[in-house]
Amino acid sequence: MVVELISVGTELLLGNIVNTNAAFLAEKCAGLGLSCYYQTVVGDNRERLAGVMRTALERSDILILTGGLGPTQDDLTKETVAEVWNRELKMDGHSLERIESFFKERGLEMTENNKKQALVPEGAIVVDNDNGTAPGIILTEGEKRIILLPGPPNELKPMFENSIVPYLNGLENPEEPGIIYSKTVKICGMGESKVESEITDLESMENPTVAPYAKTGEVHLRVTARAADEKEARKKVKPVVKELKSRFGSAVYTTEEDVTLEGAVVDLLLANELTVSTIESCTGGMLAARLINIPGVSEVFKSGYITYSNKAKRKIAGVKKGTLDKYGAVSPQTAKEMARGTALLTKADVTFSITGIAGPDGGSQEKPVGLVYMGCYVCGTTQVKEFHFNGNRAKIRETAVSAALTMMRQCILEYYSQKTFGKKV
């Protein structure tokens, strides 16, 4: 069966909010064995939404619409669906009672326009919303189905998991039986072109498939298989993931969907009982912020410093005046002294320094915009690397932080690989 996703809301078109619902639903539908060929975002306009729906119904078996079920005049999804399928909107007493209870239990006044949310197209299956007021709706006409879900993710996700998944699982899918299972191999420190050149033979496979996705400072390889059940799909995926790990070695930092690069670094620090401190110039605390995003980091993170001026570099990290005068703030010598000075100051096992030119001004022929030096101190050993990043100021800083996480991870791995005693890597 083919499913099509339609996200309703002018705020999505304007970029006021990120459309996380579509990503969530696409992944879940793939896991159910449904094929998704089209995703559409349409504003709060009845005529345009009706046109999108009519087109979608010609090519897809199931439409899932998100958003536009609220109490305001620009919430038009139900009304448009009723128009397209010539259904009358009727008040659903059960839904109205639940909406009234929602407001009463919270001591809130229920305005008259909230009753609009209890209107449902004739012949609809109503899906209770346990986290909000707008119910979900399932409509059927012949072999076509339309599913309406509320827009807020904290309402949509539990409704889909608890009510819509069981409904979809009950539908027959004779043409494409089974489920789709995916595993992601996450690689850091390698560019997309380099990674792809190593997997050209694997990209020609049909089941499972291997597809690269580039992110800032990372490449993700998604291995996807279709089979009669999840167990069989996992068996198809497993040897390919094993082969990718063999090819890319330590550059693979995880195969878990919810593990980020910073999460992998924190896990490495925790596994080896290492503490860490950071000292940053051009990135302005972004490296520390990425690490602090991870729950449990308090066990390893000691401190983070932003030493933007030369005076701060001298006062906090102990960078020598002679080093700054001779080599400048953006130099391998300064990066090294920043890292070592922070280790001396904080007694952390691992310290990391970043100093560079993020632009748009401040560059020269000798030291262009995008030049960044990073220093990593691990238990008495210090490495310094030179980087050249492209893009605007924001892009350079973002890329620098991703490179810093990759370098920190690699330095820790290299340090312990040289030791005769066993540490967890």
Side-chain angles (χ1 to χ4, degrees):
M1 285 187 178
V2 177
V3 64
E4 186 157 340
L5 307 180
I6 301 174
S7 305
V8 184
T10 302
E11 68 277 9
L12 295 170
L13 288 174
L14 296 177
N16 298 138
I17 63 172
V18 178
N19 189 8
T20 58
N21 286 341
F24 169 80
L25 291 171
E27 182 177 10
K28 293 298 180 181
C29 287
L32 292 168
L34 300 171
S35 299
C36 183
Y37 302 137
Y38 298 95
Q39 296 182 17
T40 304
V41 178
V42 61
D44 300 305
N45 179 281
R46 196 162 181 162
E47 183 179 346
R48 287 192 284 273
L49 176 55
V52 166
M53 286 185 58
R54 290 190 176 101
T55 299
L57 285 166
E58 292 177 0
R59 63 195 180 194
S60 301
D61 305 301
I62 302 169
L63 308 190
I64 300 180
L65 286 82
T66 60
L69 302 181
T72 62
Q73 291 185 359
D74 63 349
D75 290 310
L76 301 168
T77 302
K78 283 185 299 188
E79 291 79 355
T80 308
V81 171
E83 174 190 320
V84 170
W85 268 2
N86 195 26
R87 304 284 183 97
E88 183 181 349
L89 286 173
K90 294 186 175 181
M91 184 65 66
D92 180 62
H94 171 73
S95 295
L96 180 60
E97 184 178 331
R98 285 179 61 89
I99 293 170
E100 290 172 340
S101 296
F102 181 93
F103 283 92
K104 185 177 181 179
E105 289 170 2
R106 290 161 178 77
L108 301 173
E109 179 186 358
M110 177 178 161
T111 56
E112 189 66 22
N113 59 353
N114 277 287
K115 292 182 179 179
K116 174 177 180 287
Q117 295 178 99
L119 290 171
V120 301
E122 188 179 12
I125 298 172
V126 178
V127 182
D128 288 342
N129 185 348
D130 294 326
N131 298 282
T133 51
I137 293 170
I138 300 173
L139 286 165
T140 302
E141 188 163 300
E143 295 183 355
K144 302 288 184 177
R145 292 170 176 82
I146 298 177
I147 299 172
L148 309 184
L149 299 173
N154 64 342
E155 299 177 30
L156 177 146
K157 290 181 179 181
M159 182 182 291
F160 188 83
E161 295 274 19
N162 298 331
S163 301
I164 306 303
V165 167
Y167 171 78
L168 293 174
N169 272 328
L171 301 179
E172 293 184 2
N173 194 13
E175 294 182 0
E176 298 181 57
I179 64 100
I180 295 174
Y181 172 77
S182 294
K183 193 77 170 176
T184 302
V185 178
K186 299 183 181 181
I187 299 167
C188 62
M190 297 180 70
E192 184 180 19
S193 59
K194 174 62 176 173
V195 170
E196 190 165 22
S197 70
E198 299 290 333
I199 61 167
T200 52
D201 58 322
L202 300 178
E203 287 183 295
S204 62
M205 296 189 306
E206 294 185 358
N207 190 20
T209 60
V210 179
Y213 300 90
K215 297 187 67 177
T216 300
E218 303 178 41
V219 179
H220 295 181
L221 299 177
R222 183 173 289 275
V223 184
T224 305
R226 180 185 289 277
D229 53 47
E230 184 173 327
K231 183 179 179 180
E232 183 63 27
R234 284 177 178 270
K235 284 179 66 176
K236 290 177 179 288
V237 166
K238 187 175 180 179
V240 180
V241 171
K242 184 178 179 180
E243 176 62 22
L244 291 171
K245 286 182 175 181
S246 175
R247 294 188 187 190
F248 295 104
S250 64
V252 175
Y253 71 83
T254 189
T255 58
E256 298 301 321
E257 196 66 41
D258 59 347
V259 175
T260 61
L261 179 54
E262 55 266 35
V265 171
V266 171
D267 287 344
L268 187 60
L269 292 165
L270 287 166
N272 290 286
E273 299 179 353
L274 299 172
T275 56
V276 65
S277 291
T278 59
I279 183 163
E280 305 173 61
S281 182
C282 63
T283 48
M286 291 171 64
L287 174 59
R290 286 275 294 269
L291 292 170
I292 291 171
N293 276 340
I294 305 303
V297 75
S298 58
E299 295 294 322
V300 296
F301 191 86
K302 298 194 77 170
S303 55
Y305 299 96
I306 302 172
T307 55
Y308 209 71
S309 68
N310 284 357
K311 184 177 180 181
K313 290 179 178 66
R314 291 177 58 194
K315 183 176 181 181
I316 294 173
V319 178
K320 295 173 184 157
K321 184 177 184 300
T323 300
L324 293 166
D325 291 341
K326 184 175 181 179
Y327 301 107
V330 181
S331 65
Q333 293 83 0
T334 296
K336 183 175 183 179
E337 290 187 22
M338 287 171 67
R340 295 187 68 85
T342 303
L344 185 65
L345 174 67
T346 66
K347 309 302 181 187
D349 303 305
V350 178
T351 59
F352 202 94
S353 65
I354 305 176
T355 180
I357 305 168
D361 303 316
S364 65
Q365 188 172 353
E366 294 78 17
K367 295 183 178 182
V369 169
L371 173 66
V372 177
Y373 290 100
M374 302 185 191
C376 186
Y377 168 98
V378 182
C379 301
T381 302
T382 307
Q383 288 190 41
V384 177
K385 290 187 179 181
E386 178 180 314
F387 297 87
H388 292 267
F389 302 118
N390 298 314
N392 58 23
R393 182 178 179 85
K395 183 64 175 177
I396 288 171
R397 296 173 72 219
E398 181 185 3
T399 308
V401 173
S402 293
L405 290 166
T406 297
M407 180 178 167
M408 186 188 299
R409 176 178 175 272
Q410 193 60 41
C411 286
I412 296 170
L413 292 175
E414 288 177 4
Y415 177 81
Y416 283 119
S417 70
Q418 297 168 4
K419 300 298 176 182
T420 56
F421 53 88
K423 283 286 184 175
K424 299 175 184 177
V425 296

